[in-house]
Amino acid sequence: MVKLDSKVPAGHISEKWEKHKFEMKLVNPANKRKYDIIVVGTGLAGASAAATLAELGYKVKAFSFHDTPRRAHSIAAQGGINAAKNYQNDGDSVYRLFYDTVKGGDFRSREANVYRLAEVSNNIIDQAVAQGVPFAREYGGYLTNRSFGGAQVSRTFYARGETGQQLLLGAYSALSRQIGAGNVQMYTRREMLDLVVVDGHARGIIVRNLLTGEIERYAGQAVILATGGYSNVYFLSTNAMNSNVTAAWRAHKRGALFANPAFTQIHPTAIPAHGGAQSKLVLMSESLRNDGRIWVPKKPGDTRKPNEIPEEERDYYLEVKYPAFGNLVPRDVASRNAKYVCDEGRGVGPTGRAVYLDFADAIKRMGRKAVEEKYGNLFEMYENITGDNPYEVPMMIYPAPHYTMGGLWVDYHLMSTIPGLFVLGEANFSDHGANRLGASALMQGLADGYFVIPYTLGNYLGTERPQKVSTDRPEFAEAEENVKNTIKKLLSIKGKKTVDAIHKELGHVMIDKVGISRTKEGLEEAIKKIRELREEFWNNINIPEDDKTLNQTLERAGRIADFLELGELMARDALNRNESCGGHFREEYQTEEGEALRNDEEYSYVAAWEFKKVGEWELNKEPLTFEYVKPSMRSYK
Amino acid sequence: MAEKINLTLNIWRKESPEAEGYFEEFKISVTPDASILEMLDELNNDLEAQNKRPIAFESDCREGICGTCGIVVNGHPHGPIPKTATCQLHMRNFKDGETLYLEPFRAKAYKNIKDLVVDRSPLDKIIQAGGFISVNTGNPPDANSIPIPKETALQALDAAECIGCGACVAACKNASAMLFVGAKVSQFALLPQGQPERYERVQAMVNTMDEMGFGSCTNTYACEAECPKGISITNIARMNRDYLKAKISSHSMQY
Amino acid sequence: MGWLSRSLSTSIGKKVVMAVTGLLLVLFLFVHLAGNYTIWGGESTFTAYVHGLESFGWFTHVLEILLALLFLVHIYYGLKLAVENSEKRPEQYKVYKSNELIDFSARYTWQTGVLILLFLVIHLATFWYEYKFGPQGRELYDIVVTWFQNPLYSLFYILLMITLGIHIHHGFQSAFQTLGWTHPKYTPWVKKTGTALAWIFGLGFSLIPIYFYFTSMGGN
């Protein structure tokens, strides 16, 4: 059992962070350069952290498996970033953003963390603008906003449909400035394969140089993981091809607890699968739900073309069921309802697993030009992929695994259960509870990197005063040996199956049994199947070539091996949680109207899993208390 | 599902950075709904099943925004369809029976690492030399304290949309990186936040660009025609203008 | 190196030299063409023009030297850029089609430049050298007419003037782009002007040999 101390400071929620910033220890400017800080991952959270820490004077070593930090998947976020600026004078405030996020997360997040996130959200916008991020503006030259799912105010800042790209390039430019100045040592094409723990503290990492295959050791007085989420466990997801759980998972196996793995988000507006050789799902920004109307034919098996179906035979099911929020209900609600109408046989498109997202009314109301200005590049992208023109034919969408709220457990300081190991961005579990609101991922990644870690890391270093450790220590040798053995084992299997084939099978099990909706039987079956797949993987895969050069199959194999362990934990977590909340929907626990039924009596806790051995975990619970936002049934009616 | 098409692929193979490259021929049957990278995924899956060396190529987001992918398909970086990254190039654009040549981005500044994989890190070096606004994380003024005309912000965004794939270099007969550099210089030159460093930045970035071994721009505009994001050569002109201004009027002797 | 030589040796610096010398050479071509056209006034007008030029004395030589420098700098930098750029892709594409998306004149700028250089040498040798250093007392008009009655020479001359037109078609707008003189309102005009100049020089210079070739046929 691990004692989980969230270290949430005392005081009123609106004063906790401000007060705590004063209470935390500082490292004096001259001493900062004595600290080597390892940052793994250079997406929004990692790049912003690495840049900011280097600006403060720390010696930073940043690692990315990409060829350049600018490739991280943060770049693909389309819709926007939330902030409580209240530029629109529509009643927004830090408190409302906090409230919406806790409620949107279905009361499974830590209030204090969420409040801090809302608090620093405004700084992020200021910082990004100062870096030259070209957000959308009004004719008067001031910033404009759009509204997003789960909120009744317009608080989302955006840059066409490329907000993630622009924010990442902002953080990347700050990081590049520090690399150029020699304050950050950038290691590209390096994949972290193990964490080195010395005397109970994280003190280094083992990486593989992806070009030469060399196994390298790096030491630092703290390790920061900003390695993203694990949606690729589903094989088909909106994540990038290389997104993986490996760095976080290897840290988990070294003692960091993994929290709420079953909380995954299935995004309602992806382009439906075409089948066959499909390698990933492409998201259409959720912002499309602002002006697009979702519908399916009223009658099952209707094969008419969408434009031939008269108005009265269309079912705008979200607008009917949820009149207050309509098409802007939170993601999980939208996804589940899409699944239901398709299960009823009312799905459209060649596979029958799709619903329409129609812009005919928007074009009528705003004019084609305004629609083009707002969504032009998304429409272009859609047409490019599907061959259909959304100005004329309604788009087709279907939910796709997109974001994972679960991740390594961290306290208020973003430190995991291994002292000295910090986890930022999507890789941690902290702020989104059981469901993340749209445009909040960019906000969290940058909040963690720009405005939280610079303070909390200083507190750790100021308190612990860790000394430099040598990479010659036995702990490094042991970790390196561990990595080398795994690689050797993978290469020596020489079986019949390809790595991708196993990944696809795993993905199938995961989406089917641990996806949009889950049952006890299904989850038990999933665990059994995942175990069989794991067995098959370790006995029957084949990896051509050796480990001395760029070997992309070997890279993938290592990641799939970890997904095969994580997948089981996700199913176990889902099985443990006998309630429905946010992205986790257990069919046994729903209201008569088919809405998610939470069980606050028994499950108002963070499930933090402690690794014992492969396939064996111990559950630790961090109770959640809600002092400010009283848990209520989420209602978007 | 649409009917499959048959293609002959001639793919550039190179086992290591030092090895000699060569073309290898493959016959493949593929669904027109697949992207060209999904076609390669399938081919690799077959090769792996036969314990043969799969084709090394890079890709990540597969939605045309990360800039990781980049294959020269039949003489065009990112293939023959305009404003499309390799990952978004669907096989429905090719005819049954066609022969495709797949080559890496070729340039002196890009080392060919393996098969279709090249090293584009020189582009990062250029950004590190000045592709930023020097502002530390902290408390900059409120985001709305500087109004920026909508048109200007959009122009800056047009330039900032560059995905850093480096196809401009691959397309240019001189392997020049001027479109990439021009886009970054322009983004900051257009915005009020970029003004303090405007003239130092352009000189620093151009100098590094030259050091990295890229060619010089001879205004053929092949880069613009091949750019998957349609970045305009107006950005190059803007960089040239700033560079000249900097040379003529800047007090700094550093460059 | 000082800041100036450093600046002139960067990629943009070299291009600026090309642009400035190129635009000045276009100005020279105007003067040259106007001068040539005195030939329509007959032998006496043309000869008077030639003698008039010489009457400036030392000033003519200064202009000649400046003009020669202009040419030499443009040629030197042009060749230097061509050689340097040709080294930027050591391993060539098996199939390379990006070039097919661009204007013909842009594709072959240095090649047309080299042809024009070749022409320049022959042009100077046949007209200027023969007038200055050939048999005494022979008027330029006579030399010109004699050469242009040679169909092979005229054909060569005309082809090279078309080449010059192609060179200018790309070069003129290219100079504006290099100097950063672009604007959504005016750049289209610059491009049209470049095309017009290509026709003016290509056709303009060619009219003279065409005229003399046909009049010589008539004379026979």
Side-chain angles (χ1 to χ4, degrees):
Chain A
M1 259 326 210
V2 178
K3 193 182 166 301
L4 293 172
D5 179 2
S6 66
K7 300 212 184 82
V8 172
H12 187 268
I13 194 144
S14 62
E15 291 160 6
K16 282 182 199 285
W17 179 235
E18 212 45 52
K19 215 166 119 251
H20 197 54
K21 277 200 280 189
F22 178 73
E23 290 161 357
M24 280 187 287
K25 288 254 171 53
L26 298 174
V27 179
N28 95 49
N31 282 339
K32 286 199 179 91
R33 74 177 88 95
K34 295 180 188 156
Y35 289 114
D36 290 318
I37 309 300
I38 289 173
V39 179
V40 186
T42 49
L44 278 181
S48 58
T52 304
L53 295 172
E55 286 161 10
L56 287 170
Y58 295 109
K59 288 286 163 211
V60 177
K61 294 177 188 151
F63 295 83
S64 167
F65 59 64
H66 286 113
D67 62 330
T68 150
R70 68 183 294 158
R71 309 278 186 230
H73 199 52
S74 311
I75 206 154
Q78 298 169 357
I81 176 165
N82 286 332
K85 283 281 194 188
N86 193 29
Y87 282 160
Q88 307 305 328
N89 196 29
D90 58 359
D92 201 8
S93 63
V94 167
Y95 199 88
R96 187 176 297 280
L97 175 53
F98 154 70
Y99 177 91
D100 286 350
T101 307
V102 172
K103 184 181 171 218
D106 219 0
F107 305 95
R108 290 295 173 264
S109 51
R110 202 186 279 143
E111 273 189 332
N113 283 55
V114 178
Y115 193 90
R116 176 179 63 191
L117 175 67
E119 217 176 332
V120 302
S121 68
N122 293 340
N123 303 44
I124 297 170
I125 303 303
D126 298 341
Q127 188 64 35
V129 167
Q131 288 168 345
V133 171
F135 284 125
R137 287 173 185 268
E138 307 280 3
Y139 281 106
Y142 296 103
L143 293 160
T144 185
N145 294 113
R146 55 166 64 137
S147 51
F148 241 78
Q152 286 172 308
V153 293
S154 279
R155 62 158 76 98
T156 305
F157 293 79
Y158 64 97
R160 283 199 190 111
E162 297 149 345
T163 320
Q165 180 199 24
Q166 294 309 314
L167 288 169
L168 181 65
L169 292 183
Y172 160 76
S173 72
L175 174 62
S176 295
R177 174 171 161 241
Q178 294 306 318
I179 297 170
N183 301 326
V184 173
Q185 187 70 38
M186 183 70 221
Y187 297 89
T188 54
R189 298 193 192 265
R190 304 295 207 291
E191 179 164 30
M192 171 180 157
L193 293 179
D194 210 348
L195 179 77
V196 182
V197 181
V198 178
D199 300 331
H201 288 246
R203 287 289 178 263
I205 57 171
I206 305 293
V207 305
R208 179 167 181 267
N209 181 327
L210 299 182
L211 294 187
T212 63
E214 255 164 276
I215 305 298
E216 302 166 348
R217 307 173 180 187
Y218 294 95
Q221 281 109 313
V223 177
I224 295 171
L225 295 188
T227 49
Y230 50 86
S231 290
N232 266 348
V233 71
Y234 292 100
F235 186 74
L236 283 183
S237 81
T238 66
N239 277 16
M241 299 306 286
N242 297 303
S243 301
N244 66 77
V245 76
T246 289
W249 195 253
R250 307 274 165 110
H252 171 56
K253 290 169 95 167
R254 287 282 173 191
L257 267 52
F258 207 104
N260 298 338
F263 288 169
T264 59
Q265 179 169 77
I266 314 282
H267 195 290
T269 53
I271 297 176
H274 60 68
Q278 188 129 16
S279 60
K280 77 154 275 177
L281 296 169
V282 175
L283 185 75
M284 300 307 294
S285 169
E286 182 173 32
S287 66
L288 291 167
R289 286 201 279 144
N290 270 319
D291 293 300
R293 297 180 69 195
I294 294 171
W295 64 276
V296 288
K298 279 190 175 153
K299 127 178 135 216
D302 194 334
T303 52
R304 283 175 295 177
K305 293 208 173 90
N307 293 341
E308 290 165 6
I309 301 177
E311 204 56 33
E312 62 277 10
E313 290 178 45
R314 299 175 176 191
D315 180 8
Y316 294 91
Y317 57 91
L318 289 177
E319 294 172 20
V320 174
K321 243 169 132 176
Y322 309 97
F325 279 73
N327 294 301
L328 289 176
V329 289
R331 291 175 169 180
D332 56 313
V333 179
S335 292
R336 207 156 49 238
N337 281 285
K339 181 184 188 294
Y340 291 156
V341 293
C342 291
D343 288 349
E344 289 165 19
R346 297 195 288 146
V348 296
T351 59
R353 305 303 295 179
V355 300
Y356 290 125
L357 177 63
D358 199 336
F359 282 84
D361 285 347
I363 292 169
K364 238 181 264 163
R365 178 165 46 87
M366 308 156 61
R368 186 178 156 135
K369 198 163 169 279
V371 171
E372 204 174 310
E373 194 175 300
K374 227 168 161 181
Y375 306 112
N377 59 335
L378 295 172
F379 280 26
E380 230 172 79
M381 184 166 108
Y382 181 85
E383 186 172 1
N384 181 329
I385 294 170
T386 61
D388 286 340
N389 177 355
Y391 293 105
E392 273 141 34
V393 198
M395 280 183 177
M396 283 190 279
I397 55 166
Y398 196 69
H402 176 56
Y403 186 90
T404 52
M405 283 72 69
L408 291 178
W409 184 90
V410 289
D411 61 18
Y412 189 69
H413 290 176
L414 303 183
M415 190 159 84
S416 70
T417 47
I418 302 175
L421 177 71
F422 294 81
V423 190
L424 317 185
E426 191 180 348
N428 74 25
F429 90 104
S430 71
D431 297 348
H432 305 296
N435 178 46
R436 178 177 66 78
L437 292 182
S440 283
L442 300 180
M443 171 171 73
Q444 187 223 336
L446 290 176
D448 289 359
Y450 282 137
F451 298 110
V452 179
I453 192 71
Y455 294 92
T456 58
L457 177 73
N459 182 61
Y460 168 76
L461 297 172
T463 313
E464 295 288 334
R465 307 200 175 204
Q467 298 302 306
K468 277 191 197 290
V469 295
S470 159
T471 52
D472 296 333
R473 290 185 63 115
E475 292 88 348
F476 277 90
E478 186 269 327
E480 182 179 323
E481 214 33 50
N482 177 37
V483 166
K484 284 184 168 164
N485 285 339
T486 307
I487 292 173
K488 208 188 283 169
K489 201 166 150 202
L490 285 169
L491 287 170
S492 67
I493 301 168
K494 291 283 166 224
K496 296 262 175 291
K497 263 208 159 147
T498 63
V499 173
D500 260 16
I502 303 253
H503 192 185
K504 274 183 194 165
E505 283 176 49
L506 171 67
H508 193 75
V509 174
M510 294 304 292
I511 195 70
D512 207 32
K513 313 282 183 208
V514 202
I516 298 177
S517 77
R518 302 146 182 194
T519 62
K520 181 171 181 284
E521 292 70 36
L523 291 165
E524 280 165 350
E525 205 184 317
I527 292 171
K528 196 171 139 268
K529 279 194 174 160
I530 295 167
R531 291 189 154 200
E532 285 164 14
L533 272 175
R534 200 158 63 216
E535 193 62 24
E536 185 175 14
F537 176 89
W538 285 106
N539 288 300
N540 197 25
I541 59 153
N542 181 38
I543 303 171
E545 300 186 86
D546 60 18
D547 62 341
K548 301 286 180 276
T549 60
L550 179 66
N551 186 338
Q552 294 168 318
T553 318
L554 175 63
E555 291 167 27
R556 273 204 306 277
R559 296 166 191 169
I560 309 313
D562 293 334
F563 279 142
L564 284 164
E565 293 176 15
L566 166 77
E568 181 179 345
L569 182 61
M570 287 167 70
R572 277 171 179 268
D573 188 42
L575 195 57
N576 169 67
R577 198 168 275 279
N578 290 317
E579 64 165 350
S580 295
C581 59
H584 167 68
F585 191 80
R586 283 277 301 272
E587 287 178 19
E588 303 94 320
Y589 307 100
Q590 51 181 311
T591 64
E592 277 168 22
E593 292 118 25
E595 295 303 311
L597 189 62
R598 265 196 346 258
N599 180 347
D600 291 331
E601 292 283 294
E602 288 172 78
Y603 292 97
S604 188
Y605 65 75
V606 177
W609 300 87
E610 186 183 349
F611 182 86
K612 293 292 176 193
K613 64 179 197 213
V614 175
E616 199 182 315
W617 290 270
E618 189 180 335
L619 175 64
N620 296 265
K621 298 175 185 175
E622 180 202 338
L624 291 170
T625 49
F626 293 88
E627 281 179 66
Y628 299 90
V629 188
K630 288 290 163 215
S632 58
M633 264 287 280
R634 277 196 321 170
S635 171
Y636 291 94
K637 293 226 161 191
Chain B
M1 209 182 294
E3 212 169 301
K4 288 193 168 192
I5 52 170
N6 297 301
L7 297 167
T8 305
L9 306 176
N10 283 289
I11 302 177
W12 177 256
R13 308 301 309 263
K14 188 177 164 106
E15 274 166 50
S16 69
E18 299 76 32
E20 279 289 311
Y22 59 94
F23 281 93
E24 187 173 351
E25 193 186 276
F26 298 92
K27 301 270 183 200
I28 191 163
S29 173
V30 63
T31 158
D33 288 329
S35 71
I36 193 162
L37 299 185
E38 287 170 343
M39 174 189 76
L40 289 179
D41 287 342
E42 278 208 327
L43 175 59
N44 276 348
N45 205 44
D46 291 348
L47 289 173
E48 283 173 30
Q50 302 164 46
N51 198 28
K52 286 184 185 152
R53 188 165 79 79
I55 294 140
F57 67 93
E58 289 193 285
S59 81
D60 201 30
C61 77
R62 298 223 173 166
E63 41 191 281
I65 192 75
C66 74
T68 310
C69 65
I71 299 175
V72 176
V73 184
N74 278 357
H76 296 283
H78 293 302
I81 308 299
K83 289 203 190 177
T84 302
T86 309
C87 61
Q88 299 280 54
L89 179 64
H90 285 79
M91 299 318 291
R92 70 176 83 94
N93 295 300
F94 298 97
K95 284 191 285 294
D96 189 46
E98 232 179 302
T99 299
L100 304 188
Y101 277 86
L102 270 51
E103 297 180 66
F105 284 0
R106 298 193 195 273
K108 185 181 165 198
Y110 294 167
K111 190 168 77 174
N112 187 186
I113 295 168
K114 189 175 186 177
D115 297 345
L116 302 171
V117 179
V118 297
D119 175 15
R120 289 165 288 186
S121 58
L123 299 177
D124 283 313
K125 293 278 185 332
I126 301 173
I127 300 293
Q128 287 157 17
F132 47 75
I133 288 171
S134 296
V135 52
N136 283 355
T137 306
N139 279 301
D142 184 86
N144 254 353
S145 61
I146 332 163
I148 300 171
K150 182 176 179 164
E151 194 50 41
T152 309
L154 285 176
Q155 274 186 330
L157 180 56
D158 284 341
E161 278 177 350
C162 167
I163 57 174
C165 65
C168 42
V169 176
C172 176
K173 69 186 176 72
N174 307 326
S176 165
M178 291 279 273
L179 191 64
F180 170 81
V181 186
K184 195 38 84 180
V185 166
S186 282
Q187 179 195 346
F188 296 139
L190 284 160
L191 296 170
Q193 303 95 300
Q195 297 313 309
E197 295 167 284
R198 181 171 181 177
Y199 297 106
E200 288 289 301
R201 176 183 304 117
V202 65
Q203 296 184 80
M205 290 179 76
V206 169
N207 273 15
T208 308
M209 172 182 82
D210 288 354
E211 280 165 26
M212 292 293 123
F214 293 102
S216 55
C217 173
T218 48
N219 303 332
T220 69
Y221 315 140
C223 52
E224 183 187 63
E226 298 282 24
C227 175
K229 298 301 280 185
I231 305 289
S232 163
I233 48 107
T234 308
N235 294 304
I236 299 181
R238 192 177 288 110
M239 168 167 67
N240 290 341
R241 186 158 65 227
D242 277 11
Y243 185 79
L244 254 182
K245 269 194 208 166
K247 286 298 178 193
I248 293 168
S249 58
S250 129
H251 288 233
S252 160
M253 294 290 186
Q254 195 193 334
Y255 300 105
Chain C
M1 273 200 292
W3 70 270
L4 186 62
S5 50
R6 259 201 325 263
S7 303
L8 291 180
S9 59
T10 65
S11 54
I12 298 182
K14 281 179 279 200
K15 287 295 298 170
V16 167
V17 173
M18 290 303 287
V20 171
T21 52
L23 287 178
L24 290 172
L25 286 169
V26 166
L27 273 182
F28 161 72
L29 286 177
F30 263 115
V31 176
H32 194 329
L33 185 63
N36 285 10
Y37 273 23
T38 57
I39 212 159
W40 303 130
E43 182 173 0
S44 57
T45 319
F46 186 71
T47 306
Y49 161 70
V50 173
H51 291 176
L53 277 182
E54 285 168 339
S55 68
F56 289 115
W58 62 269
F59 187 63
T60 311
H61 293 299
V62 171
L63 284 182
E64 275 176 340
I65 290 166
L66 282 179
L67 183 63
L69 270 177
L70 208 54
F71 269 106
L72 285 175
V73 170
H74 193 78
I75 291 162
Y76 172 75
Y77 272 82
L79 289 174
K80 191 174 156 67
L81 276 168
V83 170
E84 285 171 1
N85 283 335
S86 71
E87 291 163 355
K88 304 301 184 194
R89 180 165 294 128
E91 184 134 34
Q92 293 294 322
Y93 289 111
K94 168 101 178 170
V95 185
Y96 178 53
K97 294 220 172 118
S98 295
N99 244 1
E100 292 177 12
L101 300 173
I102 64 180
D103 195 84
F104 178 82
S105 65
R107 227 182 295 172
Y108 300 111
T109 312
W110 74 261
Q111 289 91 335
T112 50
V114 167
L115 286 175
I116 294 163
L117 173 61
L118 186 77
F119 166 79
L120 189 66
V121 172
I122 295 173
H123 184 60
L124 287 175
T126 49
F127 291 165
W128 179 79
Y129 186 84
E130 238 177 88
Y131 178 62
K132 290 270 170 166
F133 306 103
Q136 282 291 316
R138 197 176 171 204
E139 285 296 347
L140 187 58
Y141 183 86
D142 185 39
I143 300 172
V144 168
V145 172
T146 315
W147 273 114
F148 282 157
Q149 281 169 351
N150 177 344
L152 275 180
Y153 186 88
S154 290
L155 186 67
F156 166 74
Y157 188 97
I158 291 165
L159 286 178
L160 263 302
M161 286 306 101
I162 293 168
T163 310
L164 176 70
I166 294 170
H167 193 76
I168 289 172
H169 181 262
H170 170 71
F172 187 73
Q173 59 82 27
S174 176
F176 281 74
Q177 165 83 4
T178 298
L179 296 171
W181 296 340
T182 60
H183 192 282
K185 281 182 187 159
Y186 311 118
T187 300
W189 295 356
V190 169
K191 289 195 173 159
K192 282 185 189 130
T193 311
T195 312
L197 287 175
W199 283 104
I200 290 171
F201 292 128
L203 208 65
F205 282 109
S206 299
L207 279 180
I208 298 172
I210 291 171
Y211 173 78
F212 281 106
Y213 179 65
F214 283 108
T215 51
S216 76
M217 288 214 308
N220 287 338

